[in-house]
Amino acid sequence: MSTASASATVAAPRSRYLVCEGREIHFMDWGPEDAPVVLAWHGLARTGRDMDELAAWLSPRYRVLCPDTIGRGLSQWSPDPAQEYCLAFYARLATSLLDQLDIERAHWVGTSMGGAIGMVCAAGPLRGRIRRLVLNDIGPALAPAAVQRIRTYAGNPAAFDTVSALEAYFRTVYQPYGYLSDAQWRRLTETSVRRLPDGRVTPHYDPAMVQQFIHHPHDYDLWPVYDSLDVPVLCLRGADSDLLLPETAEAMRDRGPRAVVVTVAGCGHAPALNVPAQLDLVQRFLEGDV
């Protein structure tokens, strides 16, 4: 499917809210309600709007749900960060979301943290309900230096006087995403900005979400979870990723579900899923052609 044909038939997405596990969760709902479902989940300090290109590409054939994780974007911030900012609670949110929407089965596409949530769901509360799993630059083990890098910037979000200055910051810190057009950088910024009481702007997430690494230090040690998966898995690894190391990706080929591993040139952590080559690869995997 070409970009032109996808954009010509895509319906306007719907912005929706549901209370899941007692917390209001925001999500974008793309495509026909009676189509096969794809749940597209964003990374640690991001929002569901990062999945706009993927959702627009897939929505002529799929219903694509793009949640904001609790504490991110337009979803509620947790009143209990130590207990709720963790993969197990995120998996409960995903299960509640699908249950309330009466969705029995769905594909899962997850970037970074979103992929880790997908692994936990596919091995646990949504076992048998996830059809295919795409892990975008995430695996069952993470490079400690990269985790520390992410914790450093995510736990102390920068603040700026102007939105343009915030965009310049995003262009630097998210340079490993690979190519984004000027319009995509602008949208990334405008869909993940909040204004502070002093008038400055900062990324739209709860800084307390990094407590996950303090109170749940082994949350991302997922080899037992990965080895138990019984669904087809596609792993996309940014060629320059410092989070998903080459040896981990290679081991994913040989263990558990024996993932199909594809290296994405020109990216680090993590490919933005915003260009035709990446989008077509994901679609072909979902349709069983990879």
Side-chain angles (χ1 to χ4, degrees):
M1 182 191 308
S2 69
T3 304
S5 63
S7 61
T9 56
V10 64
R14 302 167 293 282
S15 178
R16 302 183 59 185
Y17 296 83
L18 280 176
V19 175
C20 301
E21 298 293 321
R23 308 289 177 242
E24 184 180 76
I25 299 300
H26 171 258
F27 63 102
M28 299 300 294
D29 188 346
W30 298 69
E33 291 191 4
D34 59 351
V37 174
V38 176
L39 194 55
W41 212 291
H42 64 82
L44 181 74
R46 300 298 311 138
T47 81
R49 295 298 304 276
D50 282 8
M51 297 295 186
D52 277 11
E53 276 82 18
L54 177 71
W57 183 277
L58 294 176
S59 58
R61 298 189 186 186
Y62 295 92
R63 181 183 184 184
V64 187
L65 306 175
C66 307
D68 292 341
T69 310
I70 184 173
R72 285 80 161 178
L74 299 180
S75 289
Q76 182 179 353
W77 287 18
S78 175
D80 189 3
Q83 296 300 316
E84 295 184 355
Y85 290 146
C86 64
L87 297 181
F89 190 72
Y90 302 155
R92 287 167 56 188
L93 295 175
T95 303
S96 175
L97 181 68
L98 292 184
D99 286 348
Q100 291 189 64
L101 294 174
D102 295 321
I103 294 169
E104 181 57 33
R105 301 193 72 200
H107 299 296
W108 188 293
V109 180
T111 292
S112 194
M113 178 195 72
I117 301 169
M119 283 189 274
V120 171
C121 284
L126 293 178
R127 192 172 190 90
R129 296 175 64 182
I130 293 180
R131 300 170 61 188
R132 286 174 171 264
L133 175 62
V134 179
L135 304 177
N136 185 24
D137 210 64
I138 188 72
L142 308 182
V147 173
Q148 184 57 45
R149 172 181 63 80
I150 294 169
R151 284 182 60 180
T152 298
Y153 79 74
N156 298 281
F160 301 92
D161 291 334
T162 66
V163 174
S164 296
L166 179 62
E167 180 181 327
Y169 167 77
F170 280 149
R171 283 175 179 253
T172 299
V173 74
Y174 294 134
Q175 183 274 336
Y177 283 9
Y179 169 79
L180 277 78
S181 68
D182 288 343
Q184 288 169 339
W185 280 117
R186 179 60 49 86
R187 194 198 69 235
L188 180 151
T189 303
E190 292 180 345
T191 57
S192 55
V193 60
R194 65 184 177 93
R195 197 169 292 277
L196 295 167
D198 65 5
R200 294 182 299 162
V201 291
T202 194
H204 205 321
Y205 63 80
D206 180 1
M209 56 86 175
V210 297
Q211 291 187 22
Q212 176 182 19
F213 298 101
I214 300 170
H215 300 288
H216 307 272
H218 301 293
D219 231 10
Y220 289 89
D221 298 339
L222 294 175
W223 275 120
V225 169
Y226 178 81
D227 287 339
S228 74
L229 296 178
D230 59 357
V231 297
V233 175
L234 170 65
C235 174
L236 305 178
R237 179 182 179 273
D240 302 317
S241 176
D242 64 343
L243 188 78
L244 178 58
L245 298 179
E247 54 266 32
T248 303
E250 286 299 319
M252 293 170 70
R253 280 194 170 103
D254 301 325
R255 294 178 55 166
R258 299 179 182 271
V260 175
V261 178
V262 177
T263 299
V264 181
C267 301
H269 180 75
L273 302 182
N274 66 325
V275 294
Q278 297 172 22
L279 299 171
D280 182 63
L281 177 61
V282 171
Q283 179 176 329
R284 289 190 293 111
F285 173 76
L286 298 183
E287 295 175 354
D289 293 336
V290 175

